[in-house]
Amino acid sequence: MYKVAILDDEKNLLEEIHNCLQEYEMFEVSYFQEAKLLIDEIDYFDVVYIDYEMENMTAFEFFKETQMSKYIRIIITKYDHIVYKSIDYDIFDFIRKKKLKEDIHNKMNRLLKKLESDHDRIIVESGNRIVAIYYDDIQYIHTDKNYIVIHGREEYKIRSTFKDFIKKIKKNDFITISYGILVNMRYVQYINLKEMMVVLENEIQLPLSYKYKNSVKEAYQEYKIR
């Protein structure tokens, strides 16, 4: 899960933002009314939503206090002009107070893509859920008609073509062994070149295509000597 903090000294706004973010099950959300409490825990969080102007501190002052920490900075503001003052603070995005719920939801895809690129997880839509899956938890994927099925700690079914899905994979531990079958090499026990099978943990056997035989063999050998 991604760790998200909300900082605002107005409790009503905190609760409104919190309610919006609860719709996304890959988020673990905490909220703070005092900046100092969040500063003490800042390295725990992936994303911070922060009100630009609070009673004891502005967002920019908070960013100066936490400039050595790596997290995604999102400002909540009613002032349009502060966008032009933000260039020195590596601000990822802005949420307008007057369009709070609308902006949070409309900008969520951009945030999720950023989190996915910064972390070792892939974000997918399965059924009515948006989930973040660790690459290391994926054993293999295969096509099933118009769907991709991800096999790992859980099984996820995603509407996608094989070609489109493999473009989303940002980790080079995965190898295509037959068209429509993608394997995470960390789960490969051995490759049986005689019977053209790739054997995974739990004795899962997957067919190896002659088309991919050499590329699979080379990729697996390189993986094992890393």
Side-chain angles (χ1 to χ4, degrees), residues 61-221:
E61 289 169 339
F62 180 87
F63 297 148
K64 284 181 181 178
E65 290 284 333
T66 59
Q67 59 186 326
M68 300 304 293
S69 297
K70 184 179 178 182
Y71 61 93
I72 296 174
R73 297 157 169 81
I74 300 177
I75 291 181
I76 302 156
T77 183
K78 61 183 178 182
Y79 305 113
D80 293 337
H81 69 274
I82 67 122
V83 174
Y84 301 102
K85 296 182 179 180
S86 65
I87 192 167
D88 295 328
Y89 297 95
D90 191 25
I91 312 303
F92 177 73
D93 217 335
F94 293 85
I95 302 294
R96 298 167 294 176
K97 284 189 176 180
K98 60 186 177 183
K99 298 281 188 179
L100 186 73
K101 187 172 183 179
E102 179 183 339
D103 277 4
I104 286 175
H105 293 312
N106 287 344
K107 298 185 176 193
M108 185 56 66
N109 279 341
R110 182 167 178 262
L111 173 59
L112 293 177
K113 286 179 181 178
K114 172 65 174 171
L115 284 164
E116 183 180 326
S117 67
D118 286 352
H119 295 77
D120 220 13
R121 281 167 270 191
I122 184 171
I123 295 170
V124 297
E125 185 174 347
S126 178
N128 295 320
R129 303 162 60 200
I130 298 175
V131 293
I133 309 169
Y134 282 97
Y135 284 120
D136 285 350
D137 287 343
I138 300 173
Q139 293 182 319
Y140 69 100
I141 73 104
H142 77 276
T143 55
D144 180 12
K145 296 181 180 177
N146 296 322
Y147 290 88
I148 291 292
V149 182
I150 297 177
H151 298 267
R153 294 191 179 187
E154 294 184 45
E155 186 175 290
Y156 301 95
K157 199 169 185 179
I158 301 152
R159 183 175 287 277
S160 174
T161 65
F162 184 71
K163 184 178 180 180
D164 287 342
F165 183 80
I166 60 177
K167 289 178 182 177
K168 288 174 61 69
I169 297 288
K170 301 291 195 302
K171 194 169 183 179
N172 61 3
D173 291 352
F174 290 81
I175 185 73
T176 301
I177 64 169
S178 298
Y179 188 78
I181 303 178
L182 189 71
V183 166
N184 187 344
M185 288 186 285
R186 78 190 304 261
Y187 290 100
V188 174
Q189 284 198 63
Y190 60 90
I191 299 171
N192 187 328
L193 295 176
K194 183 178 179 180
E195 297 184 14
M196 296 298 290
M197 301 289 289
V198 175
V199 181
L200 307 185
E201 292 182 3
N202 301 322
E203 304 304 323
I204 296 169
Q205 297 184 358
L206 301 172
L208 171 62
S209 166
Y210 279 99
K211 176 181 178 181
Y212 296 101
K213 175 182 176 180
N214 290 333
S215 60
V216 169
K217 183 170 68 173
E218 290 172 9
Y220 188 59
Q221 288 171 342

